[in-house]
């Protein structure tokens, strides 16, 4: 029941949910701390705070509660634990990490291509025109790291682009556009996203996913691929 939520001694949270709910999750945990109930915090998909700026900003508030923090992950490397602890503002020995096997489907095939920008654009144009046409059930996803790149790709490919933003109005518009794309309601089966918006894409099983620019590292590739399904 709702009343039981405010009596729990353990908080299980997701960084993206904290971000989406505009601090309501943090307010909930603060009420548990003030009631002297909260004893431990579990952070699901904790690696996402290192690869997504918005998630990292939200998670920094957890250290203020002065409670043990346990990260749940399939892709956070042992060496990255120190960076994660530093992000939280706590000593490494206060951090717990529980790892489970990566959820990336075994059928996923990776290709690393060395190609000029012009050559890659030609391949993408061909893919957009010949693959995943409107009306089919499969999706195509292109990640970029810079807004200028996304704008250029959107213009060249005729594909909608959602960029990372701090504007509540633009954030809401992005969420609606991404939801329409995931539910196959948008006209295009393709979408271009800032890699900082990867937290909004969940279990859609896209047939094609392209990182047009290099991500932070292999951990991020594995994370966004597994999260997308």
């Amino acid at each position: 029941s709702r009343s039981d939520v405010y009596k729990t001694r353990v908080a299980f949270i997701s960084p993206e949910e904290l971000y989406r709910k505009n601090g309501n999750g943090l307010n909930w945990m603060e009420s548990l701390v003030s009631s002297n109930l909260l004893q431990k915090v579990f952070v699901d998909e904790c690696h996402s705070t290192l690869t997504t700026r918005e998630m990292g900003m939200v998670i920094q508030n957890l250290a203020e509660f002065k409670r043990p923090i346990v990260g749940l992950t399939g892709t956070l490397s042992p060496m990255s634990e120190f960076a994660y602890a530093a992000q939280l503002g706590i000593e490494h020995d206060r951090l717990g990490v529980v790892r489970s096997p990566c959820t990336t489907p075994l059928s996923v095939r990776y290709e690393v291509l060395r190609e000029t920008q012009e050559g890659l654009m030609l391949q993408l144009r061909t893919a957009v025109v010949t693959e995943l046409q409107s009306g089919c059930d499969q999706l195509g996803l292109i990640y970029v790291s810079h807004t200028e790149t996304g704008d250029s790709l959107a213009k060249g490919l005729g594909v909608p682009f959602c960029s990372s933003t701090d504007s509540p109005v633009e954030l809401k518009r992005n969420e609606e556009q991404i939801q329409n794309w995931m539910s196959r309601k948008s006209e295009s089966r393709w979408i271009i996203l800032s890699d900082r918006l990867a937290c909004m894409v969940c279990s859609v099983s896209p047939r094609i996913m392209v990182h047009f620019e290099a991500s932070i590292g292999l951990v991020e590739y594995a994370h966004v691929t597994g999260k997308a399904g």
Side-chain angles (χ1 to χ4, degrees):
S1 68
R2 182 174 176 81
S3 60
D4 291 336
V5 172
Y6 289 90
K7 297 178 181 178
T8 184
R9 298 180 181 277
V10 176
F12 181 92
I13 64 165
S14 164
E16 63 189 70
E17 284 302 310
L18 287 181
Y19 176 64
R20 287 179 181 175
K21 293 179 178 178
N22 297 320
N24 289 341
L26 293 173
N27 293 337
W28 165 63
M29 284 189 286
E30 187 175 359
S31 70
L32 295 176
V33 172
S34 62
S35 300
N36 202 29
L37 288 172
L38 188 63
Q39 296 183 358
K40 186 172 292 188
V41 179
F42 288 86
V43 182
D44 191 29
E45 304 278 7
C46 68
H47 48 265
S48 64
T49 66
L50 291 177
T51 57
T52 308
R53 179 175 62 92
E54 288 81 358
M55 303 303 103
M57 293 172 63
V58 170
I59 211 70
Q60 290 173 358
N61 296 287
L62 294 183
E64 299 177 3
F65 299 137
K66 302 186 185 305
R67 296 296 190 272
I69 299 173
V70 179
L72 309 179
T73 180
T75 54
L76 184 72
S77 68
M79 290 301 296
S80 296
E81 288 183 17
F82 293 92
Y84 183 55
Q87 184 183 60
L88 290 169
I90 64 176
E91 297 295 329
H92 178 255
D93 57 8
R94 284 186 55 205
L95 175 69
V97 176
V98 176
R99 290 182 175 82
S100 64
C102 182
T103 56
T104 302
L106 296 179
S107 59
V108 169
R109 178 170 57 91
Y110 292 89
E111 290 185 27
V112 180
L113 304 176
R114 291 184 178 273
E115 182 62 89
T116 63
Q117 187 173 13
E118 294 77 10
L120 185 54
M121 276 295 293
L122 178 60
Q123 291 187 47
L124 284 175
R125 285 197 190 98
T126 301
V128 169
V129 171
T130 61
E131 303 277 352
L132 317 183
Q133 294 299 300
S134 179
C136 77
D137 195 46
Q138 296 177 315
L139 299 173
L141 172 59
I142 303 171
Y143 279 119
V144 296
S145 299
H146 300 90
T147 299
E148 298 80 6
T149 304
D151 288 335
S152 177
L153 278 178
K155 183 178 179 180
L157 300 175
V159 173
F161 168 52
C162 294
S163 62
S164 177
T165 175
D166 294 323
S167 166
V169 175
E170 288 298 311
L171 180 61
K172 182 174 179 59
R173 185 190 68 83
N174 285 344
E175 289 180 342
E176 291 176 351
Q177 191 163 10
I178 293 171
Q179 285 296 327
N180 286 336
W181 170 76
M182 290 194 296
S183 59
R184 280 75 170 173
K185 293 179 180 178
S186 59
E187 182 177 347
S188 176
R189 290 297 181 263
W190 289 84
I191 196 169
I192 303 169
L193 297 180
S194 165
D195 51 17
R196 293 175 178 174
L197 298 180
C199 60
M200 296 185 182
V201 178
C202 186
S203 302
V204 295
S205 299
R207 180 185 167 194
I208 301 174
M209 179 187 293
V210 177
H211 286 265
F212 192 79
E213 298 173 291
S215 298
I216 294 175
L218 291 177
V219 169
E220 182 171 349
Y221 283 113
H223 169 58
V224 299
T225 302
K227 184 169 179 57

